[in-house]
Amino acid sequence: MVCFYIAGVASSSAAWGWLFQRAWGRIMTSSDNVEYKTTIEDEHWRNEEFQWARILSRGNPAKGMVLLYIQKACTAFHEFEPAWKAGAVKQEQVDFFRRRLATRIKHVLVTMQNNGLDEIEGAAEWAGILQSVESAKTAYELAELTERVHAVNHVLLDSLEGDKP
């Protein structure tokens, strides 16, 4: 058995695993050398996950909670859209889903306002999404907001990660 020594790891499987994960971006190391290992293979999703880890590891509870509520809202839309496309949402259920999705969007806005984050880049667009959700008359209109929610999610998270207020 051939054994390699890479950065203090003396084992063929451990060394190759360490090298593979670092080379393909599967491990993120924080400034205090704490590692986070992901199982996500899709580059876009992995980059999102690492961004969440960076925001959460900075120790700002307000930004961490806004991140959490943004992700809950984004997930709600990402689950609603395929359910609608699969025929699982009936027109008589639109009011229920509109209220649920609006509540998710509002929770983000209120949390941002309560914590002085309501002026960050993307906040006005997020408020615009709330207006679109509240005025939606059909499941199609709600489902069509999914990509807009996702795009603004990225703007908000970039703002939370940066040094902007």
Side-chain angles (χ1 to χ4, degrees):
M1 178 175 166
V2 177
C3 185
F4 295 92
Y5 187 81
I6 300 174
V9 179
S11 160
S12 62
S13 61
W16 283 112
W18 180 89
L19 180 62
F20 173 80
Q21 290 185 3
R22 293 244 186 269
W24 279 272
R26 301 284 300 270
I27 295 179
M28 183 188 87
T29 304
S30 67
S31 61
D32 57 355
N33 291 323
V34 175
E35 289 184 343
Y36 171 70
K37 297 174 186 169
T38 183
T39 60
I40 304 298
E41 294 183 17
D42 179 90
E43 184 178 8
H44 177 81
W45 289 7
R46 187 175 57 244
N47 288 339
E48 284 182 341
E49 189 174 281
F50 282 154
Q51 183 178 41
W52 303 341
R54 286 190 304 272
I55 292 168
L56 292 170
S57 70
R58 290 193 174 147
N60 183 320
K63 288 182 177 185
M65 291 308 296
V66 169
L67 164 94
L68 175 70
Y69 294 138
I70 289 169
Q71 293 316 310
K72 288 179 75 172
C74 200
T75 299
F77 278 89
H78 278 294
E79 295 298 330
F80 176 82
E81 181 187 32
W84 171 75
K85 285 181 177 179
V89 178
K90 297 175 178 66
Q91 184 59 34
E92 59 267 14
Q93 297 171 310
V94 170
D95 286 339
F96 170 80
F97 284 110
R98 181 178 43 246
R99 285 191 308 272
R100 297 285 298 174
L101 293 170
T103 297
R104 295 279 185 209
I105 299 293
K106 284 179 193 174
H107 204 144
V108 173
L109 291 169
V110 169
T111 303
M112 288 169 61
Q113 183 177 19
N114 288 348
N115 291 281
L117 296 169
D118 52 327
E119 297 295 323
I120 66 172
E121 190 174 347
E125 292 90 341
W126 196 257
I129 292 170
L130 175 59
Q131 293 172 347
S132 296
V133 169
E134 291 177 333
S135 66
K137 302 284 187 236
T138 66
Y140 171 80
E141 290 175 276
L142 291 173
E144 283 296 302
L145 292 169
T146 301
E147 288 309 312
R148 186 170 157 204
V149 167
H150 189 83
V152 176
N153 165 5
H154 281 290
V155 173
L156 287 167
L157 293 183
D158 288 348
S159 296
L160 290 175
E161 185 178 17
D163 292 330
K164 299 174 184 173

